[in-house]
Amino acid sequence: MQNIPPQVQALLGQLESYQQQLQLVIQQKQKVQVDLNDAKKALEEIEKVEENTPIYKTVGTLIVKISKDKAVEELKEKIETLEVRLNALNRQEQKLNEKIKELTQKIQSMLRPTAG
Amino acid sequence: MQNIPPQVQALLGQLESYQQQLQLVIQQKQKVQVDLNDAKKALEEIEKVEENTPIYKTVGTLIVKISKDKAVEELKEKIETLEVRLNALNRQEQKLNEKIKELTQKIQSMLRPTAG
Amino acid sequence: MQNIPPQVQALLGQLESYQQQLQLVIQQKQKVQVDLNDAKKALEEIEKVEENTPIYKTVGTLIVKISKDKAVEELKEKIETLEVRLNALNRQEQKLNEKIKELTQKIQSMLRPTAG
Amino acid sequence: MQNIPPQVQALLGQLESYQQQLQLVIQQKQKVQVDLNDAKKALEEIEKVEENTPIYKTVGTLIVKISKDKAVEELKEKIETLEVRLNALNRQEQKLNEKIKELTQKIQSMLRPTAG
């Protein structure tokens, strides 16, 4: 780092911070995506069961009887919430990728040997 | 570390130990906080179900029928226990923060160049 | 690495990549093996229960009543899927082991001092 | 390590290996101890429930009805198995501690400067 001007070092620090934020967003996206797939598969499976099939839901360490209609309704709400969250994370990812691209270009131009 | 007097080195070791203890307390607090929120959400949800809704509780890998009253009672006890534990951890955190602050000031004063 | 010819360095990089892939395959195999054993034990246990024993299955965070016949059928399908997956992973493991053996021999022959 | 005779280096390697084995045994003991406590607490709780309380057991991702008597019997068997395992791990731990003590003494005596 000795030969890198202080200005560029500051930008490199900022770049690293954006990359860490991006990693975090990507991890969160993966988790939401898994939860979303699980919820969609569960909905598909619940919708197929006969109308009077006993269904329970887990509430922490408790298990409580629930009607099929209520189970379907709650799953749909969960899916909607997860989709909203996934969209927000996608937007964050895109913005971070843009910032990283811009910053990388800026750093490269500052490190490029100038004519003269 | 070569230029740091042995006395200060000992205090730095102690400071590090306090900081590790603080990290542990903060981790435990986060876990208790999560468990507490889960228990509160579960209580809220159980209190809403109709009186004769079948409810079960998990006991290790077993699942046992329980009355709504008993479920509510057990959740309230759990919440109380977790709140007592959270308060104890908050007190530990505060004490450790105070010790760290005092020790940091002591170390700084010992490292400050004395007049003359 | 200074005295290692660039060609050999490239092969060492490839070797490391194969070894990482092998580690991943071994980890996946262990997971599938555990899931397979669990499914086989569950099947054995379910087949033993009396015909009219109430059985439920977990669907995400929901729990849904299922007949013994359906439970047995689903477990058998799961076991079959896991066995297919395990066989595919075994083939991948074998191929990677062969590639690693070949590459190791190639690298050794390139590093061997030649006569003359 | 430059000034340490090869014989002692070999023993240090063996010592490290025993210490790693000990760490593993201690980790396994902790897991078994947790499982044992969980099983004992579950037994205590199941024994208290009224005779005709519906009880289920988890079998992989399935949940199957079980009588109180069978649940108690299975828990007792599980506790016995875990206690046998815990005793075996305790014996392993003791033997490793003895080996480590002996080896440490041997290494110390070999590193002690001899008269003359």
Side-chain angles (χ1 to χ4, degrees):
Chain A
M1 295 285 273
Q2 289 149 305
N3 301 319
I4 297 169
Q7 269 169 298
V8 178
Q9 285 191 25
L11 294 182
L12 284 169
Q14 212 178 324
L15 181 63
E16 197 184 351
S17 157
Y18 284 145
Q19 281 164 338
Q20 284 168 357
Q21 285 173 50
L22 182 63
Q23 281 312 309
L24 204 68
V25 166
I26 288 169
Q27 279 172 26
Q28 287 171 329
K29 260 187 67 179
Q30 286 170 340
K31 200 195 163 311
V32 171
Q33 193 67 63
V34 167
D35 290 350
L36 187 57
N37 290 344
D38 288 351
K40 282 179 176 173
K41 268 194 285 184
L43 178 60
E44 202 183 330
E45 197 149 351
I46 293 301
E47 280 180 328
K48 277 189 301 195
V49 304
E50 279 171 48
E51 213 52 49
N52 52 355
T53 307
I55 302 177
Y56 289 79
K57 64 176 285 195
T58 49
V59 176
T61 57
L62 296 174
I63 293 163
V64 183
K65 190 151 190 182
I66 187 174
S67 69
K68 187 184 160 178
D69 284 356
K70 190 93 177 88
V72 167
E73 188 195 316
E74 289 192 3
L75 275 173
K76 284 183 177 168
E77 276 173 22
K78 194 181 176 179
I79 290 169
E80 213 183 302
T81 306
L82 287 169
E83 280 173 344
V84 168
R85 181 138 175 68
L86 189 61
N87 287 336
L89 287 167
N90 276 329
R91 280 194 300 274
Q92 280 182 46
E93 189 188 17
Q94 206 186 320
K95 278 186 194 164
L96 282 167
N97 272 324
E98 283 166 19
K99 282 184 186 172
I100 287 169
K101 200 183 157 188
E102 283 174 33
L103 205 49
T104 305
Q105 289 174 342
K106 200 170 169 184
I107 290 168
Q108 284 173 338
S109 74
M110 284 169 87
L111 288 175
R112 203 170 294 139
T114 49
Chain B
M1 294 287 272
Q2 290 149 304
N3 300 318
I4 297 169
Q7 268 171 300
V8 178
Q9 286 191 24
L11 293 182
L12 284 169
Q14 211 178 324
L15 181 63
E16 198 184 350
S17 157
Y18 283 145
Q19 281 164 338
Q20 283 168 357
Q21 286 174 49
L22 181 63
Q23 280 312 310
L24 204 68
V25 166
I26 289 169
Q27 279 172 25
Q28 287 171 328
K29 260 186 69 177
Q30 286 170 340
K31 199 192 165 315
V32 171
Q33 192 68 63
V34 167
D35 290 350
L36 186 57
N37 289 344
D38 288 352
K40 281 179 176 175
K41 269 195 285 185
L43 178 60
E44 202 183 332
E45 197 147 350
I46 292 301
E47 281 181 328
K48 277 190 301 196
V49 303
E50 278 171 48
E51 213 53 46
N52 52 355
T53 306
I55 303 177
Y56 289 78
K57 62 176 287 193
T58 49
V59 176
T61 57
L62 296 174
I63 294 164
V64 182
K65 190 150 190 183
I66 187 174
S67 68
K68 186 184 160 178
D69 284 356
K70 190 91 177 91
V72 166
E73 188 195 315
E74 289 192 3
L75 275 174
K76 283 183 177 168
E77 276 173 22
K78 194 181 178 179
I79 289 169
E80 214 184 301
T81 306
L82 287 169
E83 279 172 343
V84 167
R85 181 137 175 68
L86 188 61
N87 287 335
L89 287 167
N90 276 329
R91 279 193 300 275
Q92 279 182 47
E93 189 188 17
Q94 206 187 319
K95 278 186 195 164
L96 283 167
N97 273 323
E98 283 167 19
K99 283 185 186 169
I100 287 169
K101 200 182 157 189
E102 281 173 33
L103 205 49
T104 305
Q105 288 174 343
K106 200 170 169 184
I107 291 167
Q108 284 172 338
S109 74
M110 284 169 88
L111 287 175
R112 204 170 295 138
T114 48
Chain C
M1 294 286 273
Q2 289 148 303
N3 301 319
I4 297 169
Q7 269 171 298
V8 179
Q9 286 190 26
L11 293 182
L12 284 169
Q14 212 178 324
L15 181 63
E16 197 183 353
S17 157
Y18 283 145
Q19 281 163 338
Q20 284 167 358
Q21 284 172 53
L22 182 63
Q23 281 312 309
L24 204 67
V25 166
I26 289 170
Q27 280 172 25
Q28 287 171 328
K29 260 186 68 179
Q30 286 170 340
K31 202 196 161 313
V32 171
Q33 193 66 64
V34 167
D35 290 351
L36 186 58
N37 290 344
D38 287 352
K40 281 179 176 175
K41 268 194 287 184
L43 178 60
E44 202 183 331
E45 197 149 350
I46 292 300
E47 281 182 327
K48 277 190 302 194
V49 303
E50 280 171 47
E51 214 52 49
N52 52 354
T53 306
I55 302 178
Y56 288 78
K57 64 176 285 196
T58 49
V59 176
T61 57
L62 296 174
I63 293 163
V64 183
K65 190 149 191 183
I66 187 173
S67 69
K68 187 184 159 178
D69 284 355
K70 190 93 177 89
V72 166
E73 188 195 316
E74 289 192 3
L75 275 173
K76 283 183 177 168
E77 276 173 22
K78 194 181 177 178
I79 289 170
E80 213 183 301
T81 307
L82 287 170
E83 280 173 343
V84 168
R85 181 138 175 65
L86 188 60
N87 287 336
L89 286 167
N90 276 329
R91 280 194 299 275
Q92 280 182 46
E93 189 188 18
Q94 206 187 318
K95 278 186 196 166
L96 282 167
N97 273 324
E98 282 166 19
K99 283 184 186 171
I100 286 170
K101 201 183 155 187
E102 282 173 33
L103 205 49
T104 305
Q105 288 174 343
K106 200 170 169 184
I107 291 167
Q108 284 172 339
S109 74
M110 284 170 87
L111 288 176
R112 206 170 294 140
T114 48
Chain D
M1 294 288 272
Q2 290 148 304
N3 301 318
I4 297 169
Q7 269 171 298
V8 179
Q9 286 190 25
L11 293 182
L12 284 170
Q14 211 178 324
L15 181 63
E16 198 184 351
S17 157
Y18 284 145
Q19 281 163 340
Q20 284 168 357
Q21 285 173 50
L22 181 63
Q23 281 312 309
L24 205 67
V25 167
I26 289 169
Q27 279 172 25
Q28 287 171 328
K29 260 187 67 178
Q30 285 170 341
K31 201 193 162 315
V32 171
Q33 192 67 62
V34 167
D35 289 351
L36 186 58
N37 289 344
D38 287 352
K40 282 179 175 175
K41 268 195 286 184
L43 178 59
E44 201 183 332
E45 196 148 350
I46 293 301
E47 282 182 327
K48 277 190 302 195
V49 303
E50 278 172 47
E51 214 51 48
N52 52 355
T53 306
I55 301 178
Y56 289 78
K57 63 176 286 196
T58 50
V59 176
T61 57
L62 296 174
I63 294 163
V64 183
K65 190 150 190 183
I66 187 174
S67 68
K68 187 185 158 175
D69 284 355
K70 190 94 177 89
V72 166
E73 188 196 314
E74 289 191 5
L75 274 174
K76 284 183 178 168
E77 276 173 22
K78 193 181 178 179
I79 289 170
E80 214 184 300
T81 306
L82 287 169
E83 280 172 344
V84 167
R85 180 138 176 67
L86 188 61
N87 287 336
L89 287 168
N90 276 329
R91 280 194 299 275
Q92 280 183 46
E93 189 188 18
Q94 206 187 317
K95 277 186 195 164
L96 283 167
N97 272 324
E98 282 166 19
K99 283 185 186 170
I100 287 169
K101 201 184 155 187
E102 281 173 33
L103 204 49
T104 306
Q105 288 174 344
K106 199 170 169 184
I107 290 167
Q108 284 172 340
S109 74
M110 284 169 88
L111 288 175
R112 206 170 293 139
T114 48

